[in-house]
């Protein structure tokens, strides 16, 4: 909603490490996450009135985020490499974002979005590759 974006914008302007936000996802009416450039992850438990920063463990541009419930979540990133190439990164959390684990880094091209159906089955999408020109990649093992 507009109120949510205005609230998030005011929090970000106050932070000296301001970075563009690329995606927002809410697990329920009050709890949500916003991700963006420089590896930023913001978390709210009051429908966006206040936001706290979470440590992603990366400086990559986080482009997509999804939570299956308030504890289990995934994020994808895009890293720009020399020669106009990109690399992707997939992160996960099982504690609501208190800690993030890098599941995959560099084995996929740059990623822009994510959709998990349960903890094991999902897709990520981004740049195409020789082996997958559509840029859509599937996992059945999380």
């Amino acid at each position: 909603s507009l109120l949510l974006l205005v609230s998030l914008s005011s929090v970000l302007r106050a932070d000296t490490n301001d970075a563009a936000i690329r995606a927002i996802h809410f697990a329920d009416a009050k709890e949500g996450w916003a991700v963006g450039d420089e590896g930023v992850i913001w978390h709210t438990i009051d429908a966006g009135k206040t936001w706290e920063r979470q440590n992603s463990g990366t400086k990559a541009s986080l482009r997509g985020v999804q939570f299956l419930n308030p504890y289990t979540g995934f994020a994808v990133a895009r890293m720009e490499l020399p020669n106009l190439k990109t690399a992707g990164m997939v992160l996960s959390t099982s504690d609501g974002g208190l800690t993030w684990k890098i599941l995959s880094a560099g084995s996929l091209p740059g990623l822009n979005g994510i959709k998990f159906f349960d903890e094991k089955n999902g897709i990520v999408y981004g740049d195409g590759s020789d082996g997958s020109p559509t840029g859509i990649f599937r996992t059945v093992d999380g």
Side-chain angles (χ1 to χ4, degrees):
S1 76
L2 182 58
L3 178 60
L4 170 69
L5 294 176
V6 170
S7 174
L8 184 56
S9 294
S10 65
V11 170
L12 292 177
R13 275 196 294 273
D15 185 14
T16 57
N17 294 322
D18 191 14
I21 296 299
R22 303 288 183 172
I24 298 174
H25 179 82
F26 275 76
D28 58 35
K30 293 192 177 222
E31 190 162 13
W33 291 261
V35 299
D37 291 348
E38 301 299 320
V40 298
I41 299 177
W42 293 95
H43 176 235
T44 183
I45 57 172
D46 59 10
K49 291 180 184 137
T50 60
W51 294 84
E52 285 187 355
R53 182 110 177 241
Q54 293 183 330
N55 183 5
S56 68
T58 182
K59 291 288 187 186
S61 177
L62 298 174
R63 300 293 181 101
V65 62
Q66 182 193 3
F67 274 73
L68 297 173
N69 56 54
Y71 303 100
T72 306
F74 300 91
V76 293
R78 177 185 189 84
M79 299 175 286
E80 301 296 330
L81 302 175
N83 301 325
L84 302 175
K85 295 193 183 261
T86 64
M89 180 182 293
V90 180
L91 298 93
S92 72
T93 183
S94 59
D95 58 11
L98 294 175
T99 57
W100 288 87
K101 176 173 62 171
I102 296 174
L103 298 177
S104 171
S107 61
L108 297 172
L111 299 172
N112 295 319
I114 187 165
K115 175 63 177 162
F116 266 75
F117 306 101
D118 57 40
E119 290 183 23
K120 299 287 184 192
N121 297 287
I123 59 169
V124 296
Y125 54 91
D127 296 348
S129 68
D130 291 340
S132 185
T134 64
I136 300 171
F137 305 90
R138 178 178 153 205
T139 183
V140 295
D141 62 5

